[in-house]
Amino acid sequence: MPVALNKILEEKDIDRIIEMAWEDRTPFDAIEFQFGLKEADVKVLMKKELKFSSYKLWRERVENCKTKHLAKRNETIDRFKCNRQRAISNNKISKR
């Protein structure tokens, strides 16, 4: 098991990590920056927390998504978050 998963994550953190992992625009580097989990750790977490069929769908989606990996990402995108999102604090997203 990856080392980072040995740390205790609160349920709200796990929920946010899963949400970020499903978002196409959120790269794994953003999850690592905020929660300290590398891509392999996120994959282990997703496999543990999701139903197997959901995990398979997610893995297929991630493999085909160019925005999840910074190396594949369009170089004009230089931020982790949407420009309409409030600075990340307590994982709250501003309402329009």
Side-chain angles (χ1 to χ4, degrees):
M1 175 178 286
V3 176
L5 285 183
N6 290 337
K7 79 177 197 176
I8 308 258
L9 292 170
E10 294 182 24
E11 189 172 333
K12 68 180 179 123
D13 293 334
I14 292 172
D15 289 344
R16 181 62 182 141
I17 293 166
I18 291 171
E19 181 181 0
M20 290 173 78
W22 271 104
E23 292 173 346
D24 289 338
R25 67 189 160 105
T26 306
F28 287 111
D29 293 331
I31 297 171
E32 183 176 0
F33 177 78
Q34 190 168 352
F35 296 99
L37 297 178
K38 295 189 179 296
E39 181 178 347
D41 300 328
V42 174
K43 289 176 182 176
V44 170
L45 179 80
M46 295 293 277
K47 191 170 190 175
K48 178 181 168 222
E49 296 292 328
L50 299 178
K51 293 186 300 184
F52 184 71
S53 59
S54 298
Y55 173 74
K56 279 179 49 176
L57 287 172
W58 174 76
R59 284 285 301 170
E60 184 177 324
R61 182 176 174 152
V62 166
E63 293 300 319
N64 295 318
C65 184
K66 292 182 173 140
T67 57
K68 292 303 280 184
H69 301 89
L70 287 182
K72 296 180 184 177
R73 199 170 182 166
N74 185 333
E75 59 192 42
T76 61
I77 301 173
D78 60 355
R79 63 193 189 295
F80 284 155
K81 59 187 172 73
C82 174
N83 60 5
R84 294 181 303 272
Q85 182 178 348
R86 186 184 315 164
I88 297 175
S89 63
N90 297 325
N91 299 323
K92 293 179 182 175
I93 298 176
S94 63
K95 296 179 183 175
R96 291 186 187 186

